[in-house]
Each structure stands twice: as C-alpha cells, then as structure tokens.
Amino acid sequence: MHVLDLDYMLGLLPILLGYLPLTLEMAGAGMVAALVLACLLAVVRVQRMPGLNALAMLFISFFRGTPLLVQLFLFYYGLPQILTFLVAINGITATILGLTLHFSAYMAESIRAAIVGVDRSQTEAALSIGMTQGQLMRRIVLPQATRVATPTLMNYFIDMIKATSLAFTLGVTELMGATQKEAAGSFLYFEAFLLAAIIYWVVVEILSWLQRRLEKRLNRAYQR
Amino acid sequence: MIALNGITKRFGAHTVFENIDLTLEQGEIIVVIGPSGTGKSTLLRCINYLETPDAGRLTVGNLSLDAKHATRREILALRRRTAFVFQNYALFSNKTALDNICEGMIVVDGLSKAEAHARGREILERIGLADKANAYPASLSGGQQQRVGIGRAMAAKAEVILFDEPTSALDPEWVDEVLALMKHLALERQTMIVVSHEMQFAREVADRVVFMDEGRIIEQGPPDELFTNPQDERTQRFLRKVLANNPI
Ligand SMILES: Nc1ncnc2c1ncn2[C@@H]1O[C@H](COP(=O)(O)OP(=O)(O)OP(=O)(O)O)[C@@H](O)[C@H]1O
Ligand SMILES: [Mg+2]
C-alpha cells in the first residue's frame, strides 16, 4: 500500500482543470439544446397536437427506455454507416447530440407536468379578462411552471455534467479521458481518478449552491 | 344593456339550460339564487365565454354575437366587456396584489406600466388594500384575496361584473368586508350579476332577484316582492329552506 502522492495530485490539478471547459461546454450546449427541444415536446404533449403527439411519445419512450451509452454508440459508430454524410461526425458533436436527445426526453416530461399542474382557475381568470392563449402562457402559466420545473431541470443539468464523462468512450479527451491518459502514464490510478472525482464533485456542489439560491428567489412569491 | 336571448348549454347529453332569456339595463344589479346544480355558474360562465353556449345570442353594449359561432375576435371583445369574480378568487399566484389588478390593463388594454400602476393604486385604495400593493396572494387572507379578485374585475372597466358565489369559500369572519365592497360598487351603479346565497345582501342591494331551478328562470322580481310574496311553489319551497337557515 502506498501513501497518497499529494505532490503528484497537485501537479495534475492544473492539467485536468484545463479539460474542465470542454466538459462544461458539452454539458452547457447539451442543456440549452435539450431545454429547447424539451419545451417543444412538452407543448406538443400538452396541446395533444394530432400526429405530433404520438411521435413525441415515441421519442420520449425510446430515449428514456435505452441507456445513454447505447445511444451514444448508436450515433457515433452506428449512424454514419447508414447516413453516410455523417461520417464526419466527431465525438464531441455526437456526445452533445446524445445528451440533448436523451435528456430532452426526461425534461419534456417534467416541463409537461409543471405546465399541467398550474391551477386551472388561474387560466380561466386570465381568459376572463380577455387575455389570449399566448399571453396566458407567457405571463401566467410558464412563469409558474418554471418555478415548479426548475429544481428537476437543475438536477438533470447536474446529471448531464457527470454524463459528459461518457464522451471518453467516443475517444474525446475531456476531463475523464484526460485523467485516464495521465493515469496510464503515471500508474497512479487512485490519485488521478480521486482528483477527477473531486473536480466533478466541486463543480456539482457549486451548482447545487446556485440551485438553492435560484429556488429561494423563485419561491419568494409563495411565502406566507 | 346586457341581453341573453335563447341561450342554451349542454354538456354531452345533459342539457343544463335551454332558451334562457335575461336582460339587464346598465347600472342594474341582479342577484341570482337557486338550488345547487341548477346551472347558475354555467350561465355566468357562458356570459364570459368560459363555457361555449350551444345556441342563442349574447349582447353586451354595442357587441352582439351568435353565441355558438363566435369568432376569436368576438370572444376576446366579449371578455373585455365582461369581468368575472371567482368563488375561489383565482388570483395569479406569481403576481403581487397590484400586478394582479394591473395585468389586464397592461396586457389587454395596452396601458403603459406607469398608467396601469397609477390606476391600480387607486383601485387598491378603493378596495382598502393600499398597504398590500406588493403582497403576494399566498400572504393575504381569504377576504383580502377576494377583494383583490374584485379589484382585478374593476380594473377591466367591464360593462358587467359577474360574481359567482364570491363569499361562499370564505371563512365567516371575512364575508362582511367582501359584501361591503360589493355594496360600494352597487352604490356606484356598477352593473352586476351576482350568484349568491347571501339573502340579506340580495334584499339590500339587488334591483331584481332571479330564481333559477333545474335550468329555468322560474320567477324574477324586486327583492321585496320575490322574498315576501313568491308566486311559484318552487320559489316558496326554496326560500323557506334558505331563510330557515339564514333568516333575513
Ligand atoms: N364542465 C362540466 N362538465 C359536465 N357537466 C357540468 C360541467 N359543469 C357543470 N356541469 C353540470 O351542469 C349542471 C349545472 O352546474 P352549475 O355548476 O352551473 O350549477 P350551480 O347552479 O352553479 O350549482 P351550485 O349552486 O352548486 O354552484 C350540473 O348538473 C353540473 O353537474
Ligand atoms: Mg355554482
């Protein structure tokens, strides 16, 4: 048993931190795209748009019903064999695409539940004073649904940050891939992966702190 | 003038009412009474187009429309001429008391925020809640919430305000302040249709009391006549029952 090599870890820290931006960029891009897609899916589901609703349900069912890793391999290794113009798809793009589709399926259901959960009598009150459906959505329903959905969506964002580590299986050198390479060179696997774990952990803790502040803000209107 | 002509409403096979006629002059105050499930709420909701009537004509001021085939524009125009006060207040829970009142003025009437807030504060003054401008509904008592609900309806400058049992969800301690505000509006000759079991209020404030039963207007008249000398046997029975519980 060897003692923890702290000097090695300290030296490794700046190297690994150098890969954190890529991790955060993939998660950030995936989150923004997933939010947009999830809102669209949720609206389709809430309005029960004929045809589209069935497609949305199929989409959600598939992307919730299969492992993210399988989906990533499908996009990165599988799809280019069928859609030959995709040969150029790189690991980063494939990861963002996979994260987007996978998480949008989960997020769509949270957003849908939040919209449906808004008190129906407030909808009627808005209509009764002559608001249009669009005004009702923008000014009454969505602000309230946002408050309800935010904690869940933030949790998905945290999950997504951790899930970016799967990009390493597509040959992307992000935080996880870099750690693997460093560890293979030094044979100090414990130190290297412990450090990677700590970096993920700190990032998630910072986000959790932001999440709590955001929720407090959003809940201000509802305090007695 | 407000007029309902031949208004009919069905839910599937169940006909709530058929061919209802009702006319109000401007400034008139009508109280609608009747047993539960008779269609009082549904009738009010049809006037505001929260329910789509199956037949008939609705006239509010210079707007007259075929109730079943109203266009989107007509529906919005009708709703701007009518305002609704809900039994459970139905305040926007993401907005302060002031913003609840100002919402329609800003979004529907297109007033600037400053204009709307100035008018909103006047209304808060009139409903006795000037100090609650920035309070959210969750922090208000039932009576205060309902007064904001009435304030929101006042802000709409509607030709008629429709009240659906505005005090029946309230704890008894808050009923009087809401009725007092409604009396105040009545003194200003705000046209209103009030569905209520508050017989004392009806007696003091109504120009006309309308008794509905099983989807029909059985009898109507000034409160003195209707309460003291009801003609129809169903009216007599209903009043006996209600007045036994709440003598005037
Ligand atoms: N959305 C709906 N779908 C189906 N039936 C309905 C609906 N709303 C009301 N009804 C029915 O229409 C009838 C009239 O209901 P309404 O609520 O208008 O009565 P009400 O006179 O207001 O009664 P209450 O004094 O209990 O409020 C009832 O039989 C009710 O069950
Ligand atoms: Mg009712």
Side-chain angles (χ1 to χ4, degrees), chain A residues 122 124 127-128 139 144 221, chain B residues 45 48 79 93 103 107 136:
Chain A
Q122 291 185 43
E124 295 197 329
L127 294 177
S128 82
R139 305 200 41 114
Q144 294 186 46
Chain B
R45 291 166 60 80
N48 194 233
R79 286 185 176 148
S93 52
E103 183 68 9
V107 178
Y136 285 96

Side-chain angles (χ1 to χ4, degrees), chain B residues 35-42 44-45 87 164-165 168 195 197:
Chain B
S36 183
T38 284
K40 307 180 297 292
S41 298
T42 307
L44 280 195
R45 291 166 60 80
Q87 187 171 356
D164 190 9
E165 302 202 30
S168 60
V195 172
H197 297 298

Side-chain angles (χ1 to χ4, degrees), chain B residues 157-243:
Chain B
K157 288 207 161 151
E159 304 205 16
V160 58
I161 302 184
L162 310 163
F163 294 81
D164 190 9
E165 302 202 30
T167 58
S168 60
L170 290 173
D171 288 337
E173 53 184 320
W174 310 124
V175 169
D176 286 343
E177 64 186 48
V178 171
L179 290 179
L181 173 58
M182 291 169 64
K183 278 178 203 167
H184 204 80
L185 284 178
L187 284 176
E188 294 172 4
R189 301 320 293 175
Q190 163 71 55
T191 315
M192 47 204 222
I193 306 180
V194 184
V195 172
S196 180
H197 297 298
E198 298 286 342
M199 296 298 154
Q200 180 64 37
F201 173 84
R203 181 143 226 176
E204 282 176 40
V205 174
D207 297 308
R208 184 159 32 123
V209 176
V210 172
F211 174 68
M212 269 181 85
D213 192 12
E214 292 179 350
R216 271 198 292 274
I217 293 180
I218 305 293
E219 186 168 353
Q220 52 182 313
D224 296 343
E225 281 174 28
L226 196 112
F227 285 139
T228 48
N229 190 18
Q231 300 300 308
D232 195 279
E233 186 260 333
R234 280 166 291 189
T235 320
Q236 294 163 3
R237 199 162 0 109
F238 176 77
L239 285 175
R240 249 200 317 279
K241 216 169 76 192
V242 176
L243 296 181

